[in-house]
Amino acid sequence: MSRRAAEPPPDATLRGWEREQAQLKASVVEEDTEEWQKDSSFTGLERVGGVDLSYVKGDDTNACASLVVLSYPALEVLYEDCRMVAVSAPYVAGFLAFREVPFLVEALQRLEQEKPELKPQVLLVDGNGLLHPRGFGVACHLGVLTGLPCIGVAKNLLQVDGLVKDELHKEQIRSLRRGGDSFPLTGSSGGVLGMALRSYGKSSKPLYVSVGHRVCLETALRLVKSCCRYRVPEPIRQADIRSREYIRQQLCSPLEVTSSGPERKKEAELDD
């Protein structure tokens, strides 16, 4: 299949996106707002959502937007919504939300119309929250637009505010001996932007957890830990698996598919 990619946006569009991010950022709540968040065992939390977009390899314009809702703490799939979507905005670092969030908002709106009793109480998002060049990543964007508590869960370190993959960072990663071990991601400005987490004992690759909306970092980290059967937390993992399978079924062939953002995952990573 020939590669189809959207044209880079003009500077005026990028400036408009920056203004929109700044306006929405003012609404981000960086602390717990729900009763279930205040309980160490998350009593009262029954439904956790996960979202993902997957693309056919070589085609950056046709994708599958996936929303799943899992029971908590059993982590069994209660609901899934997979739809093929036409992505018109290009991928630009720092502006992933403008490419993908509209489709995820639509999926959540369908859920609220069709199965309101299954609305998630929190969303895990494959991407960053406050750990972002302008402090407003895709998890913040989705949280503000939907009003849902959101947590950013990234597989690669976004190098902002002095955070780099230097020898010190590598040594800190090596210090994560067991599943559940973590360390803070402190920027040059002195602020803690997120946490590096060894989510799964058999994987030495950390996750990077950050606040999206209506949750504090400590709660976000505890919840992500509790949702990990493998390296990637189960709500995101299931959204990714199901979006890939949906594309295969739609195309009636085992074409390779890729996930959203600059990092193109291999399927083996899902169980890493």
Side-chain angles (χ1 to χ4, degrees):
M1 182 179 293
S2 62
R3 183 175 183 80
R4 291 176 285 169
E7 292 295 320
D11 290 343
T13 298
L14 292 179
R15 289 194 296 270
W17 287 353
E18 285 186 6
R19 287 193 297 271
E20 185 172 341
Q21 284 179 329
Q23 291 167 356
L24 293 173
K25 182 182 176 182
S27 299
V28 170
V29 176
E30 301 177 35
E31 55 193 42
D32 292 340
T33 62
E34 309 302 297
E35 283 302 315
W36 61 262
Q37 295 168 330
K38 301 170 186 176
D39 188 287
S40 60
S41 58
F42 297 129
T43 301
L45 178 60
E46 299 177 347
R47 297 174 306 282
V48 179
V51 292
D52 186 72
L53 256 75
S54 291
Y55 298 78
V56 178
K57 186 179 181 181
D59 185 346
D60 284 347
T61 59
N62 290 303
C64 175
S66 174
L67 163 68
V68 298
V69 180
L70 275 60
S71 63
Y72 188 89
L75 301 178
E76 297 175 348
V77 176
L78 302 174
Y79 174 91
E80 69 173 285
D81 179 312
C82 293
R83 299 284 178 99
M84 295 303 295
V85 296
V87 179
S88 58
Y91 171 74
V92 181
F95 297 101
L96 178 64
F98 294 94
R99 177 172 170 83
E100 300 190 348
V101 161
F103 305 112
L104 303 178
V105 170
E106 288 175 2
L108 285 159
Q109 289 172 339
R110 284 193 297 271
L111 168 57
E112 197 145 16
Q113 292 169 359
E114 298 167 6
K115 295 280 187 178
E117 70 277 10
L118 294 180
K119 180 179 178 180
Q121 294 163 275
V122 59
L123 277 176
L124 302 190
V125 182
D126 185 5
N128 291 292
L130 297 180
L131 180 56
H132 180 270
R134 287 170 297 283
F136 193 76
V138 63
C140 297
H141 206 128
L142 185 59
V144 170
L145 290 185
T146 63
L148 289 171
C150 281
I151 299 170
V153 185
K155 291 174 292 299
N156 281 334
L157 176 65
L158 193 59
Q159 300 186 35
V160 299
D161 193 20
L163 294 175
V164 292
K165 290 182 178 179
D166 57 10
E167 191 54 42
L168 173 60
H169 184 74
K170 293 176 183 176
E171 180 59 36
Q172 288 175 311
I173 290 174
R174 287 192 288 269
S175 74
L176 304 177
R177 303 288 186 183
R178 298 170 299 180
D181 288 353
S182 63
F183 64 84
L185 300 166
T186 305
S188 298
S189 63
V192 176
L193 304 180
M195 299 291 291
L197 167 68
R198 182 165 181 163
S199 57
Y200 179 52
K202 294 182 180 179
S203 175
S204 59
K205 299 176 183 177
L207 295 175
Y208 297 97
V209 178
S210 58
V211 169
H213 185 49
R214 294 179 59 190
V215 62
C216 74
L217 184 56
E218 179 185 356
T219 299
L221 184 69
R222 285 195 296 115
L223 182 60
V224 171
K225 285 181 187 179
S226 72
C227 288
C228 288
R229 290 175 172 167
Y230 302 99
R231 181 193 176 208
V232 176
E234 203 64 12
I236 294 174
R237 181 174 175 270
Q238 288 298 327
D240 183 70
I241 289 172
R242 289 159 195 267
S243 62
R244 291 165 181 269
E245 183 58 30
Y246 189 83
I247 287 177
R248 290 191 185 94
Q249 292 174 356
Q250 293 298 304
L251 298 180
C252 300
S253 67
L255 290 177
E256 186 172 350
V257 293
T258 59
S259 283
S260 64
E263 180 188 4
R264 303 307 192 182
K265 297 181 292 188
K266 297 179 181 178
E267 288 195 46
E269 238 182 43
L270 294 173
D271 290 330
D272 184 2

